[in-house]
Structure formats: C-alpha cells, structure tokens
Amino acid sequence: MARGVLLDLSGVLYDGDTVLPGAVAAVSRLRAADLPLRFLTNTTRQSKRQLVTQLQRFGFDCAADEVFTPVAAARAWLEANGHQPHLLVHPALEEDFADGRMDGPIAVVVGDAAERFSYGRLNAAFRALMAGAPLLALARNRFFRDRDGELSLDAGPFVQALEHASGIKAKLFGKPSADFFRAAAASMSLDPADVAMIGDDAESDTAGALAAGVGTAILVRSGKYREGDENRFAPAPTETIANVTAACDFILAARGS
C-alpha cells in the first residue's frame, strides 16, 4: 500500500501546453487521501522556477519543494567536490546554476540543450573531458514527446556520444538514478518501498523506480508510451494503465480509499 506518490510531469500530467484530461482532479484526489506527493522530472529545457509556475498555471496544487529536478543534486555534487560547471544545457536552465560555484576545476554538465547541441559546443565539452573534467548528466533519456506531438531526441544520445568519444562514463543525476528516487522518498520521510511512481517512460520512470526499491511503479499509456513498452525493460511495471486518472484509482483502491 502506497504511503506517498511520485509523479512524472510531461506525458503524465500534461503534454506541451495541454493539461491531460483528469490530471488536475487526480492530483487533488491523491492529496485528499492525505498522500504526500513529489513531482519528478528529467526536463532540462526549463528552470525549476519555470516548471513550478507552469504547474500552478495549469491548476496543479504544487509547492516548489515538492518538485525534484536533477539540477539540485548536480549542484550539490559540484559544491562537495570543488568543481565549477562547464554547461552544455538549454539557455533557460542557466538560471539554476547562476548562483552556484564558479571556481575550481571544470566539470562538464549536460542537459537537453536542444539547438545548442552544435558541433562547436559538443567539441568544447569533449575537449574539457579529454583535459580531465568529469562528465555529469542531468538526464540520459533517449527521446521525449515534443510540443508538436512527435518524438524528439533528448539528452541521452548526446551524453552517450560524449562517453563514446572520451571514454568517460557519465555520472547520472536524474531518472533512472536510484539516488534520485530515494532522495524524493526521503523528502517525504518514507522508505522507497512505501512509495508509488507514476510515469510514461518504461525505462527511466518505472524500471528505474523499481530498481531503486520503489514499491509500486505504474506505467501510463500516455505521453511517450508506445505499445509494448511494458515488455521492453526490466523490471516490468507493476501495472500498465490508461492514464493518470486510472493510476490514481489503482493507488486509492489498494489503500481502500
């Protein structure tokens, strides 16, 4: 029985600028059942401030400390290890690093840089790696569902290209990093086994959550989901369900709510 819920954002609660049917009501029902919530995202084309503003504009009851992005963990690593970032990220994400460490040796930080994934910028990151910089990946998702409804390349292929060229393995800070899921559970004072994850990505969301010890992982057939995804990655999701409304029903039924 879940005592807290982790929710992916894009593809679960909204697609682009469109709130998915029933999503606001589903979040409200989970809160009414006294379930603490955390909103987990690998999205790195928006700052945390922009994400929180967007969620609130869409009608979701959401506080800033409930939103988990990979940036906070990456910044903590930079500070603890005495590095400053060499950023290969979307321009909107730069504000999340603006007041961070700006001295010490370089660490290459890669997010979804979109059009900034030019040869020149990738090569500059490669050269920093060859000079000894570590590689920090804010996410390594293969693709995402873009605003036009089609799939687009995410950060993962570019992270893998830098790994291949440099021979350096990236340190991952977003999903499916076990530390990411466990930190979100710990922020609710819960063990991962007492938490349910709802996501549209069978690799990063559900398989990643279960590998991290999360008790229940629900894959929704919205967003980036493609037929058969539930059978492509291990561990397989606990349940594969139509949408976030059905996922909410499943969680609340298990609680007897």
Side-chain angles (χ1 to χ4, degrees):
M1 182 180 74
R3 296 171 54 206
V5 180
L6 310 176
L7 291 143
D8 183 35
L9 299 185
S10 179
V12 174
L13 301 183
Y14 58 80
D15 263 334
D17 291 322
T18 303
V19 180
L20 290 175
V24 173
V27 170
S28 296
R29 288 172 61 205
L30 293 171
R31 289 205 186 277
D34 293 325
L35 284 165
L37 307 179
R38 294 295 182 265
F39 301 87
L40 273 60
T41 182
N42 278 2
T43 298
T44 53
R45 287 192 178 187
Q46 294 171 280
S47 67
K48 181 173 178 176
R49 175 188 59 80
Q50 290 171 323
L51 282 168
V52 173
T53 299
Q54 176 173 285
L55 284 166
Q56 293 173 344
R57 176 169 56 84
F58 283 163
F60 293 102
D61 176 12
C62 168
D65 62 359
E66 294 177 316
V67 176
F68 273 66
T69 73
V71 172
R75 282 191 45 163
W77 187 96
L78 292 167
E79 187 65 34
N81 290 276
H83 285 266
Q84 62 173 307
H86 173 105
L87 295 175
L88 183 54
V89 300
H90 193 277
L93 204 64
E94 290 180 349
E95 70 176 73
D96 283 351
F97 290 92
D99 61 346
R101 189 181 191 106
M102 291 301 166
D103 61 349
I106 292 291
V108 174
V109 179
V110 182
D112 179 6
E115 285 74 15
R116 282 196 170 187
F117 279 132
S118 65
Y119 175 81
R121 289 180 180 275
L122 282 163
N123 198 47
F126 165 72
R127 289 180 174 181
L129 295 172
M130 295 306 290
L135 177 58
L136 312 186
L138 299 179
R140 61 181 311 141
N141 300 63
R142 303 165 192 263
F143 54 83
F144 67 100
R145 186 166 180 173
D146 218 328
R147 293 181 181 275
D148 61 1
E150 299 294 327
L151 298 181
S152 291
L153 286 172
D154 210 327
F158 300 96
V159 171
Q160 190 165 348
L162 288 169
E163 287 179 324
H164 175 71
S166 67
I168 295 171
K169 181 70 174 175
K171 181 173 180 59
L172 179 64
F173 291 91
K175 298 174 291 182
S177 165
D179 289 342
F180 193 62
F181 290 106
R182 290 169 185 162
S187 74
M188 299 184 286
S189 300
L190 293 175
D191 187 271
D194 295 324
V195 170
M197 173 72 199
I198 304 173
D200 68 328
D201 187 323
E203 183 177 19
S204 291
D205 292 338
T206 58
L210 291 170
V214 169
T216 302
I218 302 170
L219 180 65
V220 293
R221 295 188 181 97
S222 58
K224 66 164 59 173
Y225 172 84
R226 291 296 178 267
E227 192 65 36
D229 278 356
E230 60 269 33
N231 301 315
R232 293 191 175 103
F233 304 99
T238 309
E239 291 287 332
T240 303
I241 283 177
N243 51 40
V244 69
T245 298
C248 174
D249 292 341
F250 179 87
I251 291 168
L252 295 180
R255 287 172 55 87
S257 300

